[in-house]
Amino acid sequence: MDPRTEERSRKRRGLLIVLSSPSGAGKSTISRMLLQADTEVTMSISATTRPKRPGEVDDVDYHFVSDTEFDRLIGEGEFVEWAPVFNHRYGTPKAPVKAALKDGRDILFDIDWQGTQQLHSAMGEDLVRIFILPPSMAELERRLRSRGTDSEEVILDRMRRANGEISHWAEYDYVLINRDTESCLAEVQKIVAAERLKRQRQLGLVSFVRDLAGPQH
Ligand SMILES: Nc1nc2c(ncn2[C@@H]2O[C@H](COP(=O)(O)OP(=O)(O)OP(=O)(O)O)[C@@H](O)[C@H]2O)c(=O)[nH]1
Ligand SMILES: [Mg+2]
């Protein structure tokens, strides 16, 4: 296809959406609902050296890899960002990000503040950063406990880590307080809708406006 025709048929450049939050603030639930509601958004699947948990599926939840394999991926420049989180390493594969941007599809990233900083340096304006805060620390703790899956020690550890993650809130473009899931999801959808309309993401605008002006000018 002639590149100009191809550009017009694509209409817009894809959007990279980061959702970060402390553990228990509702990020996973909101991600899942957004993916279900919006077929233009797909999830970025990270590689990790952490062991697979029961119920997790390789290449669906994460690409579970060994330390050696992770080193190889770093060496070959396969990651757009990677960071140590707790005792393991996590990284975002580069190829799907490039493909999505080009095809005008959006990608959602569930990554921490370290990854967000790196992605921001690498991808600039293609990235929109959303941070989700809990309504209070008491509510965060209540939500962590209500999962019923974690030991007291794990819960206390997550609460400690939550303060560290929250301290990076001001590095994000949008900050939402998750008082209830439905309204928080609606807010995320409004952000996504507006970001898609940004001038720099609408391909073919220059030629559209040129044609609008027409031959009389
Ligand atoms: N930088 C970076 N962080 C990642 C990546 N993938 C996952 N993470 C972060 O690593 C942390 C731990 O993720 P998991 O091991 O899946 O544990 P979890 O139970 O989901 O932890 P929480 O989401 O914090 O409740 C989360 O904060 C993720 O956002 C990645 O590719 N890069
Ligand atoms: Mg998670």
Side-chain angles (χ1 to χ4, degrees):
M1 210 189 300
D2 141 10
R4 276 185 57 190
T5 321
E6 190 188 337
E7 188 164 292
R8 261 183 235 138
S9 71
R10 258 193 286 137
K11 291 213 173 53
R12 68 179 180 88
R13 190 168 163 84
L15 179 66
L16 308 179
I17 310 156
V18 165
L19 268 191
S20 297
S21 79
S23 189
K27 169 184 57 184
S28 307
T29 311
I30 287 166
S31 303
R32 204 179 322 115
M33 290 165 81
L34 179 67
L35 290 169
Q36 261 166 22
D38 192 329
T39 53
E40 288 179 56
V41 185
T42 54
M43 193 81 202
S44 164
I45 303 173
S46 297
T48 182
T49 58
R50 98 152 151 70
K52 189 160 66 157
R53 297 178 186 146
E56 283 183 329
V57 180
D58 195 16
D59 300 333
V60 173
D61 296 293
Y62 282 103
H63 304 292
F64 293 97
V65 300
S66 64
D67 262 310
T68 320
E69 174 69 0
F70 203 93
D71 288 336
R72 189 187 67 76
L73 292 168
I74 295 174
E76 293 183 1
E78 296 285 341
F79 290 132
V80 61
E81 67 78 28
W82 71 269
V85 184
F86 327 126
N87 302 318
H88 299 288
R89 291 181 292 172
Y90 296 76
T92 303
K94 197 184 279 174
V97 175
K98 282 189 170 172
L101 282 177
K102 193 166 159 288
D103 298 348
R105 286 178 291 111
D106 306 321
I107 300 205
L108 184 63
F109 301 85
D110 171 348
I111 60 176
D112 76 338
W113 63 270
Q114 308 174 82
T116 306
Q117 285 184 351
Q118 295 178 55
L119 213 52
H120 180 66
S121 311
M123 311 308 300
E125 288 200 329
D126 288 323
L127 190 70
V128 50
R129 298 162 294 181
I130 307 175
F131 196 87
I132 300 179
L133 288 168
S136 67
M137 292 315 269
E139 176 61 15
L140 187 73
E141 186 166 351
R142 197 195 62 73
R143 289 183 193 168
L144 284 176
R145 289 185 187 284
S146 72
R147 289 182 184 177
T149 48
D150 302 314
S151 66
E152 184 65 21
E153 197 187 325
V154 169
I155 290 169
L156 292 180
D157 187 44
R158 282 173 183 267
M159 286 301 292
R160 271 194 298 273
R161 283 185 358 238
N163 287 310
E165 189 75 23
I166 289 174
S167 71
H168 293 276
W169 69 276
E171 295 159 22
Y172 287 72
D173 303 305
Y174 297 92
V175 179
L176 304 176
I177 302 169
N178 186 9
R179 296 200 168 82
D180 79 279
T181 313
E182 289 293 335
S183 344
C184 193
L185 171 69
E187 285 171 346
V188 170
Q189 288 172 315
K190 281 182 218 166
I191 295 168
V192 170
E195 288 285 338
R196 282 174 179 160
L197 290 172
K198 272 198 171 160
R199 174 174 43 76
Q200 64 267 30
R201 295 210 173 87
Q202 294 194 57
L203 302 172
L205 263 190
V206 171
S207 53
F208 178 80
V209 174
R210 197 189 310 117
D211 294 351
L212 254 192
Q216 67 270 31
H217 294 283

